[in-house]
Amino acid sequence: MTTPFTTAQHRCRACASPDGEVVLDLGEQPAADHFPPVADPGPDPVHPLQMWLCARCRLAQLLADPTTPEE
């Protein structure tokens, strides 16, 4: 089962199946690992936060993660 939110390019990270559905969509959210300097007054950058459930192996995963963690 798929929803309009799924993308043709997305595949499960565990079993590589393209079949699944978005089960939670929290819209645009700031990254949890983004800690701007105190002097930065601007709005935090936001990214889509969607949980996708694989129909084959049932692994719940982020649909996309456009952030890059600081090393």
Side-chain angles (χ1 to χ4, degrees), residues 25-30 46-51 62-67:
D25 186 348
L26 297 176
E28 299 284 319
Q29 299 292 324
V46 293
H47 310 280
L49 183 56
Q50 299 172 317
M51 185 170 68
L62 290 178
L63 184 61
D65 186 6
T67 64

Side-chain angles (χ1 to χ4, degrees), residues 6 16 22 24 30 32 37 46 57 61 65 70-71:
T6 59
V22 173
L24 181 65
V46 293
C57 72
Q61 56 205 283
D65 186 6
E70 292 184 27
E71 295 291 328

Side-chain angles (χ1 to χ4, degrees), residues 1-65:
M1 175 194 291
T2 59
T3 67
F5 299 107
T6 59
T7 61
Q9 297 89 352
H10 186 74
R11 291 191 170 273
C12 177
R13 289 175 176 89
C15 71
S17 172
D19 300 324
E21 65 181 314
V22 173
V23 293
L24 181 65
D25 186 348
L26 297 176
E28 299 284 319
Q29 299 292 324
D33 59 352
H34 177 68
F35 301 103
V38 175
D40 184 3
D44 291 340
V46 293
H47 310 280
L49 183 56
Q50 299 172 317
M51 185 170 68
W52 188 82
L53 182 64
C54 177
R56 182 185 298 168
C57 72
R58 310 303 288 174
L59 177 68
Q61 56 205 283
L62 290 178
L63 184 61
D65 186 6

